Amino acid sequence: MADLTNTETIRPGWFSTLANPTTFMRLSGKVLPWLAVATLVLFAVGLTGAFLAPPDYQQGETVRIMFIHVPSAWLAMMSYTIIAISSAGYLIWRHPLADVSAKAAAPIGATFTLVALITGSLWGKPMWGAYWVWDARLTSVLILFFLYLGLIALRQAIDEPGRAGRAAAILALIGAVNIPIIKYSVNWWNTLHQPASVIRADGPTIHSSLLWPLLVMAIAFTLLFVVLHFKAMRAEILRRRCDALIARHVRGDAARAGTEEAANA
Amino acid sequence: MNAFLALLTRDLTLALRQGSAIGTALGFYLIAVSIIPLGLGPDLALLSRIAPGILWISFLLSAVLSVDALFQEDRDDGSLDALAIGPLPSELIAASKSLAHWLTTCVPLIVVTPLAGLLLNMELNAVPKLLATLAVGTLGISFVAGAGAALTLGLRRGALLLPLLILPLFAPFLIFGVGALSGAAGAFSQSILLLGALSLFSVAAMPFAAALALRLSLE
């Protein structure tokens, strides 16, 4: 029989220590200002590089849209990966911080997906002559956007936070399994209907004067995601603490009312 | 296995004796197919060309709208709770329910599809191929829809939420289902195999997701 009163023997690993909401609040609070400053600096450098870069010989000035578009598209996929990993963590270990992470990442990921779609269609108008073409990539990103909307809508439809988190986690994992299938089928569909060369020539391999601002922007966007994600997670943890305090307060009132009634009777 | 068959037989008997669910899905399917030419114009050449797409899309919508009630009635009258404490694991409950949905909704819809194809001036020799894609693909549709129905069970606006959650997941089925009839060389055999793979994958994987969701909604 294990000695359950001896808590010294139960030693959490470094990950569980980090995943403790209180530790997370303390560490993320310290790191956030530095990350925010780094994000701003990288954006300043990346945007300067993006505007100073020479216009592309084929795409002209519209190539600058790429500096926003490509990092947004990367983050659209990265956010879903983070949601899927957090959801698996929540379903397996029931760790509340994993649910907080999944919940906080969904609207951010949806926003980056929308930015990628909008900048893509703005780029498409001069390049392809239409704001929207049913290119394989556009179509699969559009479906990804609908998956994000579904996740957010399902969570909003359930009042009880624990249940909402688990339902959203199940849906996120169904989506994660299906995303590669959707991507593959959309590629198949597009090549079946029209050869890819008509729609888009990938153009020459990217020139270094365009490549370095793109990489800087990619890092800046990733840091922006981390900052927004941490901020949203902190807000969510605080919201849950408020809810817990309110619940305790209400229960306390009810208990007090109960004892008063008992005393009066 | 006996419990699985008993549940399946019960659901089939209920669906046959009530009849209203099957009738509604059929009616919805036919009205959806008939209303599209009103919007596109009576050009028979155009309709004949896009008929497989129209039929597949109408089929998907009918299947999604009818799946909402899959667990709802059993939950309302308490039989879902009784099933949950019975010997059958929730994975098999979900699988049986999804299979019942396929047998009671998708099979009748497949049966009336030649008639719907006639309305759209579909080429007669393409009809058997279309029926084959529907027969292979819609089994997976029922299982994905079953997981969606379990997730939205008992939610406010659940009937409206369900299509938003599962229609994006139907994109591969639609693509391969309609792609099989594109007429390109080898497209039929290739896409019907992929469609079969999709269906088998859904049959194998979706009951686990549905079971998680069912246990969640019964807590």
Side-chain angles (χ1 to χ4, degrees), chain B residues 20-217:
Chain B
S20 61
I22 300 178
T24 318
L26 283 178
F28 180 86
Y29 181 56
L30 288 177
I31 190 81
V33 171
S34 327
I35 210 167
I36 287 171
L38 300 183
L40 292 177
D43 178 1
L44 285 182
L46 172 73
L47 289 178
S48 148
R49 191 162 58 83
I50 60 177
I54 294 178
L55 292 170
W56 255 96
I57 293 169
S58 310
F59 199 112
L60 286 184
L61 293 178
S62 321
V64 170
L65 288 177
S66 57
V67 87
D68 171 51
L70 193 59
F71 300 103
Q72 193 66 52
E73 282 175 15
D74 283 351
R75 182 178 177 270
D76 291 345
D77 67 10
S79 38
L80 198 60
D81 292 289
L83 281 173
I85 54 173
L88 204 58
S90 9
E91 284 79 6
L92 285 179
I93 296 178
S96 159
K97 287 276 176 188
S98 306
L99 190 58
H101 175 262
W102 188 70
L103 290 171
T104 59
T105 307
C106 293
V107 171
L109 289 180
I110 294 174
V111 171
V112 299
T113 293
L115 177 66
L118 217 61
L119 286 175
L120 297 173
N121 189 37
M122 205 177 154
E123 284 173 45
L124 283 181
N125 55 4
V127 172
K129 286 184 176 180
L130 177 70
L131 294 184
T133 60
L134 286 173
V136 170
T138 52
L139 183 63
I141 299 276
S142 282
F143 275 76
V144 176
L151 265 177
T152 53
L153 181 57
L155 298 189
R156 279 173 284 124
R157 300 184 304 277
L160 206 56
L161 185 59
L162 180 60
L164 175 63
L165 301 189
I166 57 178
L167 279 179
L169 304 178
F170 286 166
F173 291 95
L174 187 58
I175 287 171
F176 293 128
V178 179
L181 295 136
S182 68
F188 180 74
S189 58
Q190 192 189 359
S191 36
I192 202 150
L193 284 176
L194 288 166
L195 206 54
L198 268 179
S199 268
L200 288 177
F201 174 72
S202 307
V203 169
M206 285 305 159
F208 292 97
L212 272 177
L214 274 185
R215 285 198 286 268
L216 184 61
S217 69

Side-chain angles (χ1 to χ4, degrees), chain A residues 37-53:
Chain A
V37 170
T39 311
L40 279 177
V41 171
L42 279 172
F43 262 111
V45 174
L47 283 174
T48 315
F51 277 106
L52 293 181

Side-chain angles (χ1 to χ4, degrees), chain A residues 91 94 143 146-147 149-151 153-154 156-160 162-164 166-168 170-171 174-175 177-178 181-182 184-186 188-189 192-193, chain B residues 75 147 151-153 155-157 161 164-165 168-169 171-172 175-176 179-180 182 184 187 190-191 194 198 201 206 209-210 212-213 215-217 219:
Chain A
L91 282 181
R94 297 280 166 88
I143 293 178
F146 289 132
L147 290 177
L149 289 190
L151 271 181
L154 180 63
Q156 281 180 351
I158 307 176
D159 291 327
E160 206 256 297
R163 223 196 118 183
R166 277 162 63 200
I170 297 169
L171 183 66
I174 296 179
V177 170
N178 275 282
I181 303 176
I182 292 172
Y184 170 77
S185 67
V186 169
W188 188 88
W189 166 72
L192 186 79
H193 282 249
Chain B
R75 182 178 177 270
L151 265 177
T152 53
L153 181 57
L155 298 189
R156 279 173 284 124
R157 300 184 304 277
L161 185 59
L164 175 63
L165 301 189
L169 304 178
I175 287 171
F176 293 128
S182 68
Q190 192 189 359
S191 36
L194 288 166
L198 268 179
F201 174 72
M206 285 305 159
L212 272 177
R215 285 198 286 268
L216 184 61
S217 69
E219 267 175 15

Side-chain angles (χ1 to χ4, degrees), chain A residues 195-209:
Chain A
S197 56
V198 178
I199 279 291
R200 88 180 253 141
D202 266 301
T205 43
I206 192 162
H207 191 264
S208 63
S209 62

Side-chain angles (χ1 to χ4, degrees), chain A residues 78-98:
Chain A
M78 194 186 84
S79 311
Y80 203 95
T81 315
I82 288 177
I83 293 175
I85 295 171
S86 306
S87 300
Y90 185 51
L91 282 181
I92 297 169
W93 293 289
R94 297 280 166 88
H95 201 291
L97 199 65

Side-chain angles (χ1 to χ4, degrees), chain A residues 17 46 53 73 75 83 110 123 126 150 183 195 218 226 246:
Chain A
T17 315
L75 281 181
I83 293 175
W123 181 82
K183 179 113 183 75
V226 175
I246 291 169

